[in-house]
């Protein structure tokens, strides 16, 4: 759930800062042993492709952004 909060914070940047044109989330899927730290868990879906809360939050943010533009 913390990841979903971070995702929302990051994707809110363009609304707060006029000079931000694009925002990217680095990982769609968790990695398995690629990194020696928690970076392996940065995906919005798990390694088995099951969605995390962050995935659903990202879908909502995209939908809301598309409706606003």
């Amino acid at each position: 759930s913390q990841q979903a909060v971070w995702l929302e914070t990051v994707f809110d940047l363009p609304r707060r800062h006029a000079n931000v044109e694009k925002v990217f989330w680095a990982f769609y899927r968790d990695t398995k042993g690629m990194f020696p730290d928690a970076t392996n868990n940065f995906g919005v879906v798990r390694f088995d492709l099951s969605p995390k809360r962050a995935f659903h939050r990202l879908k909502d943010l995209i939908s809301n952004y598309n409706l606003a533009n």
Side-chain angles (χ1 to χ4, degrees):
S1 59
Q2 181 64 43
Q3 185 184 28
V5 172
W6 291 337
L7 193 138
E8 186 165 354
T9 300
V10 168
F11 278 84
D12 190 46
L13 285 172
R15 288 190 279 196
R16 292 185 283 135
H17 302 283
N19 59 340
V20 176
E21 295 179 12
K22 296 178 183 178
V23 175
F24 297 92
W25 193 258
F27 297 93
Y28 174 72
R29 180 182 183 185
D30 284 350
T31 58
K32 219 179 216 183
M34 186 177 285
F35 301 95
D37 56 25
T39 305
N40 288 307
N41 302 313
F42 282 9
V44 293
V45 299
R46 293 176 189 83
F47 189 76
D48 67 1
L49 300 179
S50 60
K52 298 179 183 179
R53 288 183 189 189
F55 173 82
H56 297 291
R57 188 65 197 123
L58 179 59
K59 278 181 57 176
D60 291 343
L61 289 167
I62 291 169
S63 293
N64 291 337
Y65 178 79
N66 288 335
L67 292 174
N69 290 317

